[in-house]
């Protein structure tokens, strides 16, 4: 997500910000801009460059804008589910972009529909809009916290309300959001790499449970939500965020190099070279090579015109994408004992295909090293792994996974090793590794639950 207040060509800067954040979502993109009188929206399915091709940005006039790249965890890849969502209600125009996932969204939707609400999307984000609209308060600074008090799970929001730009993080701070400054303009972004793209200076991170309201009087900070123990997603540091970003007060590149060095300490390998599964594993592989005193080589070349296979919305796209996305360098690999460093193994299909590719290119031995613990549990806070049966580590031992991948050895970073690499280990969510969920409601639901008429969920904890 990206938002900017008080800049000429706000939509163009938002476009640049979304371009820098394309790795966070590739299904759809949208921008809303306003000059204080009218909200102008354009959104569509596809990459940022495709959605905003031609002269589209010329139509999005105004000094205030927000933008969103979608990576779906609730609802299909449809234009109607693309964000930001824009509504006109009793207090005026409101546009909202959401990063995260509400665990009680279906229960809230069922309740609201029972009271007469009509939904236009199958995204959990629309639930937030309905709750805001039903608030009896008249000030947006009170309406938003009142609505969010009923929401459980992960929500980092960027909102346009009238001429105000608002950013807010849930009380556990699952997903990141930062504040920047570009001259007289104020900027909100999911990662600092987007600030760099538009020439904005990093000011600070928005805190868990904090709401910032930006208008003509500057930036005001509120703490309207009851704080809970921090649970920022550690997978942001392992995989999701760009290495040139600072997230949760940490340098992503520095953390990943630590993970690689720790991995080499825990699972050394007798090998000739170290290669990464580019690009998210590059830093960890460099750390592994440094600690092992082995040469780091570019054994796999990534085609950057193909999206991230892990966040592709369909299994078919994931399997097809591996062959399009990577190519092995025979000259480097042939006859070599190779350490392959990856940041995670989720379903195992990508890794298996990569190993076959490396074997075909002549690698003599393949030693897979993973800079995170085995992912055996689904994430319900903004990572699309809703079905635990899809996760290879939920039903296979490390040795069984090794055999499935056809590698000579396999080593995962330990939980203790992971915790030792971050500055505040007790402030992170590790649920995908240990199944210890901090936010829970009823039975787990898959991402298409809201698209099945009559789906109901009973209360939880």
């Amino acid at each position: 997500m990206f938002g900017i207040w008080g800049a000429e060509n706000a939509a163009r800067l938002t476009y640049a910000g979304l371009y820098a954040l394309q790795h966070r979502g590739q299904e759809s993109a949208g921008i809303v801009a306003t000059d204080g009188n009218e909200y102008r929206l354009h959104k569509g399915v596809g990459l940022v460059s495709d959605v905003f091709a031609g002269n589209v940005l010329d139509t999005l006039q105004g000094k205030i804008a927000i933008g969103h790249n979608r990576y779906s965890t609730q609802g299909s890849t449809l234009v109607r589910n693309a964000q930001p969502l824009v509504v006109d209600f009793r207090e005026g125009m409101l546009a909202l972009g959401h990063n995260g996932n509400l665990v009680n969204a279906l229960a809230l939707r069922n309740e609201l529909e029972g009271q007469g609400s009509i939904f236009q999307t199958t995204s959990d984000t629309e639930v937030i809009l309905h709750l805001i609209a039903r608030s009896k308060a008249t000030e947006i600074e009170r309406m938003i916290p009142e609505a969010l008090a009923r929401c459980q799970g992960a929500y980092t929001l960027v909102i346009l309300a009238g001429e105000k730009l608002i950013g807010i993080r849930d009380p556990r701070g699952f997903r990141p959001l930062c504040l920047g400054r570009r001259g007289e303009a104020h900027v909100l972004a999911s990662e600092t790499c987007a600030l760099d793209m538009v020439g904005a200076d990093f000011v600070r991170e928005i805190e868990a449970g904090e709401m910032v309201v930006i208008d003509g009087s500057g930036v005001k900070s509120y703490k309207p939500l009851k704080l809970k123990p921090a649970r920022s997603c550690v997978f942001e540091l392992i995989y999701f965020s760009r290495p040139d970003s600072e997230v949760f007060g940490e340098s992503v590149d520095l953390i990943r190099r630590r993970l690689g060095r720790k991995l080499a300490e825990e699972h050394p390998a007798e090998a000739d070279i170290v290669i990464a599964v580019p690009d998210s594993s590059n830093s960890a592989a460099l750390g592994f090579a440094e600690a092992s005193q082995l040469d780091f080589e570019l054994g796999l070349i990534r085609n950057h015109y193909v999206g991230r296979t892990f966040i592709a919305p369909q299994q078919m796209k994931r399997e097809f994408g591996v062959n399009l996305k990577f190519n092995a360098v025979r000259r480097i690999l042939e006859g070599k004992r190779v350490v392959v460093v990856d940041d995670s193994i989720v379903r195992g299909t990508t890794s298996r295909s990569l190993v076959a590719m490396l074997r075909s290119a002549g690698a003599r031995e393949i030693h897979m090293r993973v800079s995170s613990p085995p992912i055996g549990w689904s994430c319900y806070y903004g990572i699309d792994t809703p079905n635990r049966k899809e996760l290879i580590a939920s039903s296979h031992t490390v040795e069984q996974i090794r055999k499935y991948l056809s590698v000579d050895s396999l080593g995962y970073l330990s939980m203790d090793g992971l915790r030792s690499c971050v500055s505040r280990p007790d402030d992170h969510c590790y649920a995908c590794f240990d199944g210890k969920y901090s936010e829970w409601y009823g039975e787990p639901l898959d991402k298409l639950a809201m698209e099945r008429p009559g789906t109901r969920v009973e209360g939880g904890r």
Side-chain angles (χ1 to χ4, degrees):
M1 300 183 300
F2 187 92
I4 188 164
W5 193 99
E8 297 292 340
N9 299 316
R12 291 188 180 277
L13 292 169
T14 301
Y15 170 85
L18 292 184
Y19 213 97
L21 297 169
Q22 185 73 86
H23 61 287
R24 297 189 68 85
Q26 302 170 0
E27 295 178 35
S28 62
I31 294 174
V32 179
T34 181
D35 55 7
N37 297 313
E38 181 181 352
Y39 274 35
R40 300 176 177 91
L41 166 68
H42 182 81
K43 62 183 180 179
V45 173
L47 301 177
V48 174
S49 58
D50 298 325
V51 173
F52 296 98
N55 299 320
V56 170
L57 291 170
D58 293 337
T59 67
L60 302 176
Q61 298 298 312
K63 293 186 177 183
I64 314 170
I66 65 170
H68 186 273
N69 290 333
R70 186 164 189 252
Y71 161 56
S72 63
T73 54
Q74 283 290 338
S76 297
T77 306
L78 305 170
V79 173
R80 63 175 175 161
N81 286 335
Q83 296 186 30
L85 301 181
V86 180
V87 295
D88 188 356
F89 74 124
R90 72 174 193 274
E91 298 298 328
M93 298 296 294
L94 188 144
L96 183 149
H98 171 207
N99 181 203
N101 197 54
L102 305 183
V103 297
N104 66 333
L106 184 58
L108 290 171
R109 180 176 175 131
N110 290 339
E111 175 189 323
L112 291 164
E113 286 181 327
Q115 295 171 357
S117 292
I118 299 173
F119 283 76
Q120 302 297 316
T121 77
T122 55
S123 167
D124 57 330
T125 305
E126 192 178 0
V127 170
I128 300 172
L129 287 174
H130 281 269
L131 292 173
I132 292 173
R134 283 173 170 265
S135 170
K136 290 182 169 48
T138 56
E139 297 177 349
I140 195 67
E141 292 89 343
R142 294 176 58 198
M143 298 172 76
I144 293 171
E146 182 181 315
L148 295 178
R150 299 208 58 204
C151 297
Q152 297 178 29
Y155 52 84
T156 293
L157 309 176
V158 172
I159 300 170
L160 274 186
E163 295 185 61
K164 295 178 178 179
L165 172 62
I166 300 170
I168 190 166
R169 289 178 70 198
D170 66 70
R172 294 191 188 276
F174 283 106
R175 300 288 151 206
L177 188 65
C178 63
L179 176 68
R181 186 76 180 260
R182 184 182 187 273
E184 297 302 311
H186 302 281
V187 182
L188 294 172
S190 290
E191 294 181 33
T192 59
C193 65
L195 302 181
D196 298 335
M197 175 68 86
V198 301
D201 295 323
F202 174 68
V203 176
R204 65 178 179 86
E205 189 175 69
I206 305 303
E207 297 178 14
E210 181 184 13
M211 178 174 72
V212 293
V213 179
I214 304 169
D215 57 20
S217 62
V219 180
K220 297 177 182 174
S221 173
Y222 303 86
K223 298 289 184 64
L225 303 174
K226 184 178 179 181
L227 280 181
K228 301 177 180 180
R231 290 294 180 269
S232 55
C233 173
V234 76
F235 209 55
E236 289 274 359
L237 299 173
I238 294 168
Y239 167 84
F240 220 75
S241 298
R242 259 177 48 168
D244 51 333
S245 288
E246 289 190 16
V247 171
F248 308 138
E250 307 261 31
S251 162
V252 177
D253 173 69
L254 183 59
I255 292 295
R256 290 178 186 171
R257 287 177 186 252
R258 285 182 195 160
L259 295 173
R261 288 194 290 269
K262 191 66 178 179
L263 181 60
E265 177 186 319
E266 292 185 346
H267 296 284
E270 291 188 11
D272 302 310
I273 60 172
V274 176
I275 70 170
V277 179
D279 287 324
S280 56
S281 305
N282 289 348
S283 296
L286 285 166
F288 189 100
E290 176 188 292
S292 303
Q293 297 185 331
L294 294 172
D295 289 337
F296 173 78
E297 296 282 358
L298 299 178
L300 283 170
I301 302 300
R302 179 185 167 192
N303 179 355
H304 287 84
Y305 296 94
V306 179
R308 297 179 87 166
T309 52
F310 170 60
I311 65 175
Q314 299 172 18
Q315 179 70 15
M316 184 182 296
K317 288 185 179 179
R318 280 192 296 270
E319 292 176 351
F320 187 50
V322 171
N323 296 322
L324 289 175
K325 187 176 177 182
F326 298 107
N327 192 34
V329 184
R330 177 175 291 274
R331 183 191 65 80
I332 290 174
L333 299 168
E334 195 163 27
K336 300 289 179 58
R337 300 171 299 169
V338 182
V339 175
V340 183
V341 177
D342 204 351
D343 49 72
S344 56
I345 299 176
V346 181
R347 299 162 180 88
T349 51
T350 299
S351 300
R352 183 181 170 112
S353 297
L354 282 175
V355 169
M357 182 184 295
L358 296 172
R359 295 278 189 205
S360 297
R364 179 157 57 95
E365 294 179 9
I366 298 177
H367 303 276
M368 181 73 76
R369 297 294 182 265
V370 186
S371 60
S372 65
I375 298 175
W377 301 81
S378 299
C379 175
Y380 302 108
Y381 310 131
I383 303 292
D384 184 21
T385 55
N387 187 347
R388 194 181 174 208
K389 293 178 181 178
E390 296 180 13
L391 306 176
I392 191 168
S394 70
S395 56
H396 293 68
T397 64
V398 172
E399 175 59 16
Q400 288 172 333
I401 296 172
R402 184 196 68 78
K403 290 180 179 179
Y404 172 78
L405 300 180
S406 297
V407 292
D408 295 279
S409 69
L410 172 63
Y412 285 90
L413 186 67
S414 68
M415 277 294 297
D416 287 342
L418 171 58
R419 289 174 58 88
S420 72
C421 292
V422 296
S423 298
R424 298 180 302 279
D426 293 337
D427 289 352
H428 288 290
C429 176
Y430 305 95
C432 58
F433 304 124
D434 60 16
K436 296 178 181 178
Y437 298 104
S438 53
E439 296 283 322
W440 191 256
Y441 190 96
E443 293 299 315
L445 298 171
D446 65 62
K447 67 188 292 182
L448 302 182
M450 295 191 190
E451 298 180 8
R452 290 191 285 271
T455 303
R456 291 291 181 268
V457 62
E458 300 302 324
R461 52 190 171 88

